[in-house]
Amino acid sequence: MNIKIITIIVIVYLYGLFEYYMNYQQKKKLKIVSVRDKGSLWLIVISITVGYLLSFSIASTKIGRIYYWNLLFAIGLFIIMIGLIIRVISIRQLKQYFTYSVSKVESHLLIEKGFYKFIRHPGYLGQLLIFTGIAISLSNWLAVILMLLSTLVGYVNRIRVEEKFMIEQMGDIYSNYQKRTKKLIPKIY
């Protein structure tokens, strides 16, 4: 098996373990006041799984293959690293308010510093960059499209559920925050 494919698979598993570990650690520490996930976490898990299956399946064929394997592999790894940095920093900026489910913790405050000064969901941006980087590293343009379409379904739904919940919990504070910031990309979306 090609060393690049092995590297990509190892990255996928290590990232999955990182997220699982973070979820486990977070559950031990938090005092959650209310939860309104509405299945959005499961939809994200399903959309990521479908994205992996589709992108790795199409990448294993010659359909959509781009023959700049070394360059795209390097670009993909770079994007994965950028996404991971954004994800970790955004989790650290939220500190005790970070949760995997859409929920409110005891004494919940709105964080508006760091990445959160410009966008409302930098953690999701980081994850989307990670999945995009994984698909790019496969050197197949169809893999990138399939990964993006699949994962966007889960994250667009999650953002909708989370923002509705935050407005219910924080009212005008969150509504005003929405007016000052974008969802994922500063000044664009």
Side-chain angles (χ1 to χ4, degrees):
M1 188 181 281
N2 186 314
I3 190 70
K4 292 177 188 127
I5 295 294
I6 293 170
T7 302
I8 295 165
I9 291 169
V10 167
I11 288 170
V12 166
Y13 279 103
L14 288 176
Y15 177 66
L17 287 172
F18 164 75
E19 289 291 341
Y20 180 79
Y21 175 77
M22 292 297 294
N23 186 22
Y24 176 75
Q25 290 291 40
Q26 170 255 333
K27 281 182 179 179
K28 290 190 329 185
K29 297 178 183 177
L30 294 179
K31 293 184 179 176
I32 294 177
V33 176
S34 61
V35 177
R36 219 97 8 75
D37 197 66
K38 297 187 177 185
S40 66
L41 183 58
W42 281 109
L43 183 58
I44 287 175
V45 170
I46 291 167
S47 71
I48 291 167
T49 303
V50 169
Y52 279 145
L53 289 172
L54 292 174
S55 61
F56 275 86
S57 295
I58 198 71
S60 68
T61 71
K62 292 186 180 195
I63 302 168
R65 169 79 52 223
I66 302 171
Y67 291 95
Y68 294 101
W69 182 240
N70 291 332
L71 176 63
L72 290 174
F73 181 74
I75 291 170
L77 290 181
F78 179 74
I79 292 171
I80 291 167
M81 289 303 207
I82 297 297
L84 188 57
I85 290 167
I86 291 171
R87 176 79 173 153
V88 169
I89 290 172
S90 67
I91 289 171
R92 292 189 65 141
Q93 288 172 341
L94 283 179
K95 296 180 183 168
Q96 74 268 21
Y97 305 121
F98 170 76
T99 63
Y100 273 88
S101 61
V102 175
S103 48
K104 182 178 180 183
V105 298
E106 195 171 73
S107 304
H108 202 123
L109 296 174
L110 181 64
I111 303 299
E112 297 185 62
K113 62 182 180 181
F115 292 138
Y116 292 92
K117 185 175 182 179
F118 307 102
I119 58 176
R120 297 188 296 275
H121 305 283
Y124 300 152
L125 172 63
Q127 287 182 305
L128 288 167
L129 286 172
I130 291 166
F131 300 129
T132 303
I134 289 167
I136 288 170
S137 68
L138 294 171
S139 191
N140 186 303
W141 64 270
L142 282 172
V144 175
I145 291 170
L146 292 170
M147 180 67 87
L148 275 174
L149 289 177
S150 179
T151 54
L152 278 173
V153 167
Y155 284 100
V156 167
N157 176 66
R158 175 59 170 248
I159 289 169
R160 182 187 57 76
V161 169
E162 189 171 314
E163 295 208 334
K164 183 177 179 187
F165 178 74
M166 294 302 286
I167 289 171
E168 289 172 6
Q169 298 299 311
M170 296 185 165
D172 288 340
I173 293 170
Y174 197 79
S175 294
N176 292 332
Y177 177 60
Q178 285 179 309
K179 292 174 187 170
R180 293 189 305 273
T181 58
K182 295 293 184 181
K183 293 177 185 173
L184 289 172
I185 304 169
K187 299 184 181 189
I188 297 173
Y189 173 78

